[in-house]
Amino acid sequence: ELVLVYHSVGCIDRQNDPYKINVTPGLFKKQIEFLSCLKKKEIILTFDDGFENIYDVVFSLVFRTW
């Protein structure tokens, strides 16, 4: 079992991300592609706060990859 926690996935300038908690869509895509190659039975992705970019970016990348 693998659990990954994300806060935000979007194109946010690092200068405007004071806590450095954003992941760019490109980096998230690479992570999802890597995870899809693992032989894990359960991979759990969690997202804090329900930002709109989770719906806009994450759903399309995850469903295209898995």
Side-chain angles (χ1 to χ4, degrees):
E1 186 173 292
L2 175 66
V3 179
L4 296 172
V5 179
Y6 292 90
H7 186 76
S8 176
V9 179
C11 297
I12 298 173
D13 181 10
R14 301 252 331 145
Q15 300 297 332
N16 294 323
D17 184 13
Y19 303 109
K20 310 299 184 236
I21 54 177
N22 182 68
V23 176
T24 65
L27 179 57
F28 181 76
K29 181 180 180 203
K30 287 179 183 178
Q31 292 173 358
I32 294 301
E33 289 169 347
F34 174 78
L35 292 171
S36 69
C37 296
L38 295 179
K39 302 298 181 203
K40 297 271 186 192
K41 289 185 178 181
E42 293 182 22
I43 298 174
I44 301 167
L45 305 177
T46 67
F47 300 89
D48 288 347
D49 298 328
F51 288 124
E52 188 174 340
N53 62 28
I54 301 302
Y55 178 78
D56 294 341
V57 177
V58 171
F59 284 162
S60 64
L61 287 174
V62 170
F63 289 121
R64 275 188 270 151
T65 304
W66 274 319

